[in-house]
Amino acid sequence: MSHTHRRDGHGRRRGGPDQARGRPPGVWGAALALACAAALTACGPDGGDADAAGAASGAPTSPAATPTGTGTPAEPAPSSPPTSAAPSASAKPGGIARCETDGLALSLVANGQEMNSKYFDLRLTNTGSEPCDLLGHPGVSLLDAGGKRVGEPATRSQDGTGDGGAVRLRPGQAAHATVKTAGEGVTDGRCWPEAATLLVYPPGSKQTVTTADLAGLKVCGDSFQVGPVGDRAP
């Protein structure tokens, strides 16, 4: 016995495979959609499983950026110790103090005449109990009885025994400086008025010592000079 199958207008059998097997239409499509959604969840960029997979596979991760930082810079290495400052006016090499006016006595002694010049020995004696130093030229002026300066201060010369070095005075010792002026006889009498006081600034000091004993000093010919201190009389 023959069977006749009815076909639609296109000559296909009615009903798909699902109908042939007794399954409702669309079941396979729904299952396929669910499977795709699960796959997208596992592979998505935000999925935790994807991150875990990357870590497990040993995939390199970007190193943490090293901050350049603008914080406080490291302290600079200490510089070389500063050079020593120049010694103060009251200190000299060897740790000996400069002679101060309150520990000095002034005197003037005539020292003869030579080559139309008259010489005097200016002495600064250490009256203190400790040694002290003098270095350089003293400042020398003459004053009248009223305390007014006579003429001009003495100019510096290199006369005498001083060699420019420091003179160390033990208690009772004197430093010597040579004072020189022109002889009265070679200046036609052109001399300064008579002075009453010799005023001296010891080397390096702003204080003065004085004496009224001028030992016959009279400046003539506008020539009045003083040499550096030395350790012995000229």
Side-chain angles (χ1 to χ4, degrees):
M1 183 173 66
S2 62
H3 296 278
T4 302
H5 295 279
R6 296 181 64 184
R7 300 176 180 270
D8 58 15
H10 298 284
R12 292 185 303 176
R13 294 180 182 177
R14 290 185 179 179
D18 292 338
Q19 289 179 338
R21 296 173 183 170
R23 293 180 182 177
V27 171
W28 283 107
L32 184 60
L34 288 173
C36 183
L40 289 174
T41 302
C43 302
D46 297 330
D49 290 343
D51 291 342
S57 64
T61 57
S62 300
T66 302
T68 56
T70 56
T72 305
E75 294 184 2
S79 58
S80 299
T83 55
S84 300
S88 65
S90 60
K92 292 298 177 184
I96 303 299
R98 186 192 66 210
C99 299
E100 301 291 349
T101 55
D102 58 359
L104 290 173
L106 171 66
S107 60
L108 189 68
V109 177
N111 201 35
Q113 182 170 337
E114 184 181 84
M115 297 295 293
N116 300 321
S117 295
K118 296 184 70 173
Y119 295 89
F120 298 82
D121 179 19
L122 186 155
R123 298 176 181 177
L124 292 167
T125 302
N126 180 7
T127 60
S129 60
E130 298 292 335
C132 61
D133 285 353
L134 287 176
L135 173 65
H137 289 73
V140 181
S141 294
L142 296 171
L143 305 177
D144 64 16
K148 184 178 179 180
R149 192 178 69 196
V150 175
E152 298 296 330
T155 59
R156 293 181 177 184
S157 74
Q158 295 303 316
D159 293 315
T161 61
D163 59 4
V167 177
R168 181 155 299 170
L169 304 179
R170 294 193 298 271
Q173 285 188 319
H176 304 265
T178 297
V179 174
K180 181 175 72 172
T181 185
E184 185 174 358
V186 300
T187 61
D188 297 329
R190 292 181 290 108
C191 300
W192 294 353
E194 186 174 351
T197 303
L198 179 70
L199 178 146
V200 172
Y201 288 90
S205 177
K206 295 183 179 180
Q207 304 297 321
T208 62
V209 289
T210 60
T211 181
D213 184 359
L214 300 184
L217 172 63
K218 189 175 185 179
V219 176
C220 298
D222 294 328
S223 176
F224 188 31
Q225 300 179 355
V226 63
V229 294
D231 59 359
R232 61 187 186 279

